[in-house]
PDB file of all heavy atoms in Angstrom:
ATOM      1  N   ASP A 528       0.844  -1.226   0.006  1.00 96.00           N
ATOM      2  CA  ASP A 528       0.001   0.030   0.036  1.00 96.00           C
ATOM      3  C   ASP A 528       0.830   1.272  -0.029  1.00 96.00           C
ATOM      4  O   ASP A 528       0.636   2.207  -0.766  1.00 96.00           O
ATOM      5  CB  ASP A 528      -0.919   0.019   1.201  1.00 96.00           C
ATOM      6  CG  ASP A 528      -2.046  -1.022   1.137  1.00 96.00           C
ATOM      7  OD1 ASP A 528      -2.252  -1.533   0.025  1.00 96.00           O
ATOM      8  OD2 ASP A 528      -2.644  -1.292   2.124  1.00 96.00           O
ATOM      9  N   VAL A 529       1.886   1.301   0.851  1.00 97.00           N
ATOM     10  CA  VAL A 529       2.756   2.481   0.936  1.00 97.00           C
ATOM     11  C   VAL A 529       3.552   2.685  -0.302  1.00 97.00           C
ATOM     12  O   VAL A 529       3.699   3.759  -0.857  1.00 97.00           O
ATOM     13  CB  VAL A 529       3.579   2.472   2.220  1.00 97.00           C
ATOM     14  CG1 VAL A 529       4.528   3.631   2.243  1.00 97.00           C
ATOM     15  CG2 VAL A 529       2.717   2.455   3.513  1.00 97.00           C
ATOM     16  N   TYR A 530       4.167   1.531  -0.760  1.00 97.00           N
ATOM     17  CA  TYR A 530       5.006   1.572  -1.946  1.00 97.00           C
ATOM     18  C   TYR A 530       4.201   2.020  -3.135  1.00 97.00           C
ATOM     19  O   TYR A 530       4.646   2.913  -3.951  1.00 97.00           O
ATOM     20  CB  TYR A 530       5.511   0.151  -2.150  1.00 97.00           C
ATOM     21  CG  TYR A 530       6.437   0.041  -3.473  1.00 97.00           C
ATOM     22  CD1 TYR A 530       7.828   0.162  -3.388  1.00 97.00           C
ATOM     23  CD2 TYR A 530       5.849  -0.246  -4.701  1.00 97.00           C
ATOM     24  CE1 TYR A 530       8.603   0.039  -4.519  1.00 97.00           C
ATOM     25  CE2 TYR A 530       6.595  -0.326  -5.859  1.00 97.00           C
ATOM     26  CZ  TYR A 530       8.000  -0.194  -5.739  1.00 97.00           C
ATOM     27  OH  TYR A 530       8.803  -0.276  -6.841  1.00 97.00           O
ATOM     28  N   SER A 531       2.993   1.533  -3.328  1.00 96.00           N
ATOM     29  CA  SER A 531       2.182   1.864  -4.442  1.00 96.00           C
ATOM     30  C   SER A 531       1.722   3.312  -4.350  1.00 96.00           C
ATOM     31  O   SER A 531       1.714   4.045  -5.423  1.00 96.00           O
ATOM     32  CB  SER A 531       0.899   1.014  -4.522  1.00 96.00           C
ATOM     33  OG  SER A 531       1.310  -0.349  -4.740  1.00 96.00           O
ATOM     34  N   SER A 532       1.397   3.767  -3.197  1.00 96.00           N
ATOM     35  CA  SER A 532       0.992   5.190  -3.034  1.00 96.00           C
ATOM     36  C   SER A 532       2.070   6.147  -3.454  1.00 96.00           C
ATOM     37  O   SER A 532       1.839   7.229  -4.065  1.00 96.00           O
ATOM     38  CB  SER A 532       0.577   5.508  -1.579  1.00 96.00           C
ATOM     39  OG  SER A 532       0.160   6.802  -1.431  1.00 96.00           O
ATOM     40  N   ILE A 533       3.310   5.799  -3.106  1.00 97.00           N
ATOM     41  CA  ILE A 533       4.468   6.669  -3.437  1.00 97.00           C
ATOM     42  C   ILE A 533       4.767   6.582  -4.952  1.00 97.00           C
ATOM     43  O   ILE A 533       4.934   7.585  -5.666  1.00 97.00           O
ATOM     44  CB  ILE A 533       5.705   6.253  -2.603  1.00 97.00           C
ATOM     45  CG1 ILE A 533       5.507   6.603  -1.169  1.00 97.00           C
ATOM     46  CG2 ILE A 533       6.980   6.967  -3.168  1.00 97.00           C
ATOM     47  CD1 ILE A 533       6.495   6.031  -0.269  1.00 97.00           C
ATOM     48  N   THR A 534       4.841   5.333  -5.486  1.00 96.00           N
ATOM     49  CA  THR A 534       5.257   5.173  -6.884  1.00 96.00           C
ATOM     50  C   THR A 534       4.194   5.516  -7.883  1.00 96.00           C
ATOM     51  O   THR A 534       4.516   5.749  -9.049  1.00 96.00           O
ATOM     52  CB  THR A 534       5.746   3.739  -7.103  1.00 96.00           C
ATOM     53  OG1 THR A 534       4.736   2.818  -6.760  1.00 96.00           O
ATOM     54  CG2 THR A 534       6.976   3.495  -6.210  1.00 96.00           C
ATOM     55  N   ASN A 535       2.928   5.529  -7.502  1.00 94.00           N
ATOM     56  CA  ASN A 535       1.817   5.856  -8.402  1.00 94.00           C
ATOM     57  C   ASN A 535       1.622   7.385  -8.610  1.00 94.00           C
ATOM     58  O   ASN A 535       0.910   7.803  -9.464  1.00 94.00           O
ATOM     59  CB  ASN A 535       0.537   5.239  -7.948  1.00 94.00           C
ATOM     60  CG  ASN A 535       0.496   3.713  -8.200  1.00 94.00           C
ATOM     61  OD1 ASN A 535       1.267   3.207  -9.053  1.00 94.00           O
ATOM     62  ND2 ASN A 535      -0.379   3.028  -7.523  1.00 94.00           N
ATOM     63  N   ASP A 536       2.200   8.146  -7.717  1.00 94.00           N
ATOM     64  CA  ASP A 536       2.131   9.630  -7.901  1.00 94.00           C
ATOM     65  C   ASP A 536       2.786   9.970  -9.221  1.00 94.00           C
ATOM     66  O   ASP A 536       3.753   9.321  -9.661  1.00 94.00           O
ATOM     67  CB  ASP A 536       2.830  10.359  -6.750  1.00 94.00           C
ATOM     68  CG  ASP A 536       2.062  10.335  -5.481  1.00 94.00           C
ATOM     69  OD1 ASP A 536       0.813  10.137  -5.550  1.00 94.00           O
ATOM     70  OD2 ASP A 536       2.626  10.554  -4.443  1.00 94.00           O
ATOM     71  N   VAL A 537       2.148  10.968  -9.871  1.00 90.00           N
ATOM     72  CA  VAL A 537       2.672  11.331 -11.252  1.00 90.00           C
ATOM     73  C   VAL A 537       3.533  12.590 -11.085  1.00 90.00           C
ATOM     74  O   VAL A 537       3.077  13.691 -10.871  1.00 90.00           O
ATOM     75  CB  VAL A 537       1.461  11.643 -12.146  1.00 90.00           C
ATOM     76  CG1 VAL A 537       1.942  12.045 -13.555  1.00 90.00           C
ATOM     77  CG2 VAL A 537       0.469  10.562 -12.227  1.00 90.00           C
ATOM     78  N   VAL A 538       4.814  12.352 -11.125  1.00 89.00           N
ATOM     79  CA  VAL A 538       5.798  13.454 -11.123  1.00 89.00           C
ATOM     80  C   VAL A 538       6.275  13.634 -12.559  1.00 89.00           C
ATOM     81  O   VAL A 538       7.147  12.918 -13.111  1.00 89.00           O
ATOM     82  CB  VAL A 538       7.035  13.103 -10.204  1.00 89.00           C
ATOM     83  CG1 VAL A 538       7.985  14.285 -10.097  1.00 89.00           C
ATOM     84  CG2 VAL A 538       6.522  12.782  -8.742  1.00 89.00           C
ATOM     85  N   ALA A 539       5.614  14.621 -13.217  1.00 84.00           N
ATOM     86  CA  ALA A 539       5.870  14.822 -14.653  1.00 84.00           C
ATOM     87  C   ALA A 539       7.368  15.204 -14.860  1.00 84.00           C
ATOM     88  O   ALA A 539       7.850  16.070 -14.203  1.00 84.00           O
ATOM     89  CB  ALA A 539       4.977  15.859 -15.228  1.00 84.00           C
ATOM     90  N   SER A 540       8.006  14.537 -15.778  1.00 73.00           N
ATOM     91  CA  SER A 540       9.428  14.780 -16.065  1.00 73.00           C
ATOM     92  C   SER A 540       9.645  16.224 -16.574  1.00 73.00           C
ATOM     93  O   SER A 540       8.719  16.847 -17.169  1.00 73.00           O
ATOM     94  CB  SER A 540       9.967  13.819 -17.087  1.00 73.00           C
ATOM     95  OG  SER A 540       9.244  13.966 -18.316  1.00 73.00           O
ATOM     96  N   GLN A 541      10.764  16.809 -16.242  1.00 70.00           N
ATOM     97  CA  GLN A 541      11.061  18.122 -16.819  1.00 70.00           C
ATOM     98  C   GLN A 541      11.109  18.028 -18.308  1.00 70.00           C
ATOM     99  O   GLN A 541      11.544  17.107 -18.934  1.00 70.00           O
ATOM    100  CB  GLN A 541      12.443  18.601 -16.304  1.00 70.00           C
ATOM    101  CG  GLN A 541      12.425  19.069 -14.857  1.00 70.00           C
ATOM    102  CD  GLN A 541      13.757  19.797 -14.470  1.00 70.00           C
ATOM    103  OE1 GLN A 541      14.824  19.285 -14.702  1.00 70.00           O
ATOM    104  NE2 GLN A 541      13.593  20.983 -13.894  1.00 70.00           N
ATOM    105  N   GLY A 542      10.493  19.049 -18.942  1.00 76.00           N
ATOM    106  CA  GLY A 542      10.359  19.058 -20.300  1.00 76.00           C
ATOM    107  C   GLY A 542       9.321  18.087 -20.893  1.00 76.00           C
ATOM    108  O   GLY A 542       9.315  17.666 -21.984  1.00 76.00           O
ATOM    109  N   PHE A 543       8.336  17.779 -19.934  1.00 75.00           N
ATOM    110  CA  PHE A 543       7.265  16.797 -20.296  1.00 75.00           C
ATOM    111  C   PHE A 543       6.497  17.278 -21.459  1.00 75.00           C
ATOM    112  O   PHE A 543       5.862  16.413 -22.147  1.00 75.00           O
ATOM    113  CB  PHE A 543       6.403  16.563 -19.071  1.00 75.00           C
ATOM    114  CG  PHE A 543       5.480  17.659 -18.810  1.00 75.00           C
ATOM    115  CD1 PHE A 543       4.177  17.623 -19.301  1.00 75.00           C
ATOM    116  CD2 PHE A 543       5.827  18.709 -17.908  1.00 75.00           C
ATOM    117  CE1 PHE A 543       3.309  18.670 -18.977  1.00 75.00           C
ATOM    118  CE2 PHE A 543       5.015  19.679 -17.625  1.00 75.00           C
ATOM    119  CZ  PHE A 543       3.707  19.770 -18.174  1.00 75.00           C
ATOM    120  N   SER A 544       6.366  18.543 -21.701  1.00 72.00           N
ATOM    121  CA  SER A 544       5.566  18.984 -22.868  1.00 72.00           C
ATOM    122  C   SER A 544       6.126  18.625 -24.198  1.00 72.00           C
ATOM    123  O   SER A 544       5.471  18.741 -25.201  1.00 72.00           O
ATOM    124  CB  SER A 544       5.350  20.579 -22.746  1.00 72.00           C
ATOM    125  OG  SER A 544       6.624  21.236 -22.850  1.00 72.00           O
ATOM    126  N   GLU A 545       7.389  18.185 -24.157  1.00 70.00           N
ATOM    127  CA  GLU A 545       8.042  17.706 -25.379  1.00 70.00           C
ATOM    128  C   GLU A 545       8.061  16.168 -25.463  1.00 70.00           C
ATOM    129  O   GLU A 545       8.682  15.575 -26.349  1.00 70.00           O
ATOM    130  CB  GLU A 545       9.477  18.193 -25.499  1.00 70.00           C
ATOM    131  CG  GLU A 545       9.644  19.687 -25.283  1.00 70.00           C
ATOM    132  CD  GLU A 545       9.030  20.505 -26.412  1.00 70.00           C
ATOM    133  OE1 GLU A 545       8.888  19.965 -27.522  1.00 70.00           O
ATOM    134  OE2 GLU A 545       8.695  21.666 -26.180  1.00 70.00           O
ATOM    135  N   ASP A 546       7.320  15.504 -24.461  1.00 73.00           N
ATOM    136  CA  ASP A 546       7.415  14.080 -24.391  1.00 73.00           C
ATOM    137  C   ASP A 546       6.438  13.404 -25.427  1.00 73.00           C
ATOM    138  O   ASP A 546       5.322  13.095 -25.093  1.00 73.00           O
ATOM    139  CB  ASP A 546       6.999  13.652 -22.971  1.00 73.00           C
ATOM    140  CG  ASP A 546       7.193  12.174 -22.734  1.00 73.00           C
ATOM    141  OD1 ASP A 546       7.657  11.438 -23.580  1.00 73.00           O
ATOM    142  OD2 ASP A 546       6.915  11.719 -21.589  1.00 73.00           O
ATOM    143  N   ARG A 547       6.916  13.266 -26.612  1.00 77.00           N
ATOM    144  CA  ARG A 547       6.079  12.627 -27.667  1.00 77.00           C
ATOM    145  C   ARG A 547       5.888  11.046 -27.379  1.00 77.00           C
ATOM    146  O   ARG A 547       4.908  10.511 -27.899  1.00 77.00           O
ATOM    147  CB  ARG A 547       6.712  12.826 -29.035  1.00 77.00           C
ATOM    148  CG  ARG A 547       6.925  14.284 -29.381  1.00 77.00           C
ATOM    149  CD  ARG A 547       5.615  15.080 -29.254  1.00 77.00           C
ATOM    150  NE  ARG A 547       5.740  16.492 -29.467  1.00 77.00           N
ATOM    151  CZ  ARG A 547       5.597  17.116 -30.667  1.00 77.00           C
ATOM    152  NH1 ARG A 547       5.363  16.420 -31.707  1.00 77.00           N
ATOM    153  NH2 ARG A 547       5.740  18.437 -30.696  1.00 77.00           N
ATOM    154  N   LYS A 548       6.783  10.515 -26.574  1.00 81.00           N
ATOM    155  CA  LYS A 548       6.615   9.077 -26.231  1.00 81.00           C
ATOM    156  C   LYS A 548       5.368   8.856 -25.521  1.00 81.00           C
ATOM    157  O   LYS A 548       4.671   7.862 -25.715  1.00 81.00           O
ATOM    158  CB  LYS A 548       7.882   8.610 -25.449  1.00 81.00           C
ATOM    159  CG  LYS A 548       7.833   7.121 -25.139  1.00 81.00           C
ATOM    160  CD  LYS A 548       9.016   6.638 -24.346  1.00 81.00           C
ATOM    161  CE  LYS A 548       8.985   5.200 -24.014  1.00 81.00           C
ATOM    162  NZ  LYS A 548      10.152   4.756 -23.272  1.00 81.00           N
ATOM    163  N   LEU A 549       5.037   9.831 -24.575  1.00 82.00           N
ATOM    164  CA  LEU A 549       3.752   9.689 -23.795  1.00 82.00           C
ATOM    165  C   LEU A 549       2.589   9.686 -24.758  1.00 82.00           C
ATOM    166  O   LEU A 549       1.647   8.932 -24.555  1.00 82.00           O
ATOM    167  CB  LEU A 549       3.658  10.809 -22.827  1.00 82.00           C
ATOM    168  CG  LEU A 549       2.398  10.830 -21.919  1.00 82.00           C
ATOM    169  CD1 LEU A 549       2.470   9.715 -20.881  1.00 82.00           C
ATOM    170  CD2 LEU A 549       2.224  12.162 -21.269  1.00 82.00           C
ATOM    171  N   LEU A 550       2.641  10.566 -25.761  1.00 87.00           N
ATOM    172  CA  LEU A 550       1.550  10.593 -26.767  1.00 87.00           C
ATOM    173  C   LEU A 550       1.434   9.285 -27.488  1.00 87.00           C
ATOM    174  O   LEU A 550       0.379   8.760 -27.697  1.00 87.00           O
ATOM    175  CB  LEU A 550       1.746  11.763 -27.726  1.00 87.00           C
ATOM    176  CG  LEU A 550       1.693  13.219 -27.110  1.00 87.00           C
ATOM    177  CD1 LEU A 550       1.989  14.202 -28.201  1.00 87.00           C
ATOM    178  CD2 LEU A 550       0.283  13.459 -26.567  1.00 87.00           C
ATOM    179  N   GLN A 551       2.638   8.777 -27.909  1.00 86.00           N
ATOM    180  CA  GLN A 551       2.622   7.510 -28.690  1.00 86.00           C
ATOM    181  C   GLN A 551       2.039   6.338 -27.919  1.00 86.00           C
ATOM    182  O   GLN A 551       1.333   5.530 -28.488  1.00 86.00           O
ATOM    183  CB  GLN A 551       4.081   7.164 -29.135  1.00 86.00           C
ATOM    184  CG  GLN A 551       4.677   8.097 -30.080  1.00 86.00           C
ATOM    185  CD  GLN A 551       4.266   8.049 -31.482  1.00 86.00           C
ATOM    186  OE1 GLN A 551       4.014   6.901 -31.943  1.00 86.00           O
ATOM    187  NE2 GLN A 551       4.056   9.089 -32.192  1.00 86.00           N
ATOM    188  N   VAL A 552       2.317   6.320 -26.602  1.00 87.00           N
ATOM    189  CA  VAL A 552       1.885   5.155 -25.755  1.00 87.00           C
ATOM    190  C   VAL A 552       0.449   5.350 -25.303  1.00 87.00           C
ATOM    191  O   VAL A 552      -0.344   4.346 -25.345  1.00 87.00           O
ATOM    192  CB  VAL A 552       2.821   5.065 -24.570  1.00 87.00           C
ATOM    193  CG1 VAL A 552       2.294   4.041 -23.574  1.00 87.00           C
ATOM    194  CG2 VAL A 552       4.246   4.737 -24.970  1.00 87.00           C
ATOM    195  N   ILE A 553       0.005   6.518 -24.914  1.00 90.00           N
ATOM    196  CA  ILE A 553      -1.325   6.651 -24.207  1.00 90.00           C
ATOM    197  C   ILE A 553      -2.364   7.223 -25.016  1.00 90.00           C
ATOM    198  O   ILE A 553      -3.570   6.827 -24.951  1.00 90.00           O
ATOM    199  CB  ILE A 553      -1.069   7.486 -22.973  1.00 90.00           C
ATOM    200  CG1 ILE A 553      -0.129   6.715 -21.958  1.00 90.00           C
ATOM    201  CG2 ILE A 553      -2.386   7.693 -22.235  1.00 90.00           C
ATOM    202  CD1 ILE A 553       0.112   7.446 -20.693  1.00 90.00           C
ATOM    203  N   LEU A 554      -2.042   8.225 -25.922  1.00 92.00           N
ATOM    204  CA  LEU A 554      -3.077   8.917 -26.696  1.00 92.00           C
ATOM    205  C   LEU A 554      -3.953   8.048 -27.547  1.00 92.00           C
ATOM    206  O   LEU A 554      -5.131   8.233 -27.643  1.00 92.00           O
ATOM    207  CB  LEU A 554      -2.495  10.081 -27.524  1.00 92.00           C
ATOM    208  CG  LEU A 554      -3.466  11.042 -28.161  1.00 92.00           C
ATOM    209  CD1 LEU A 554      -4.476  11.640 -27.164  1.00 92.00           C
ATOM    210  CD2 LEU A 554      -2.691  12.145 -28.894  1.00 92.00           C
TER     211      LEU A 554
END
């Protein structure tokens, strides 16, 4: 429970607005 709560938080990477990989995977 504690591990998942910490690791599931979304800490967007610096420069995330240029992250086309995220678009390729999720969009």
Side-chain angles (χ1 to χ4, degrees):
D528 288 346
V529 175
Y530 179 93
S531 298
S532 179
I533 292 170
T534 58
N535 286 341
D536 284 341
V537 183
V538 183
S540 61
Q541 283 192 310
F543 72 94
S544 60
E545 309 293 337
D546 187 3
R547 302 305 174 93
K548 183 178 179 181
L549 180 72
L550 294 176
Q551 295 283 322
V552 172
I553 298 179
L554 188 53

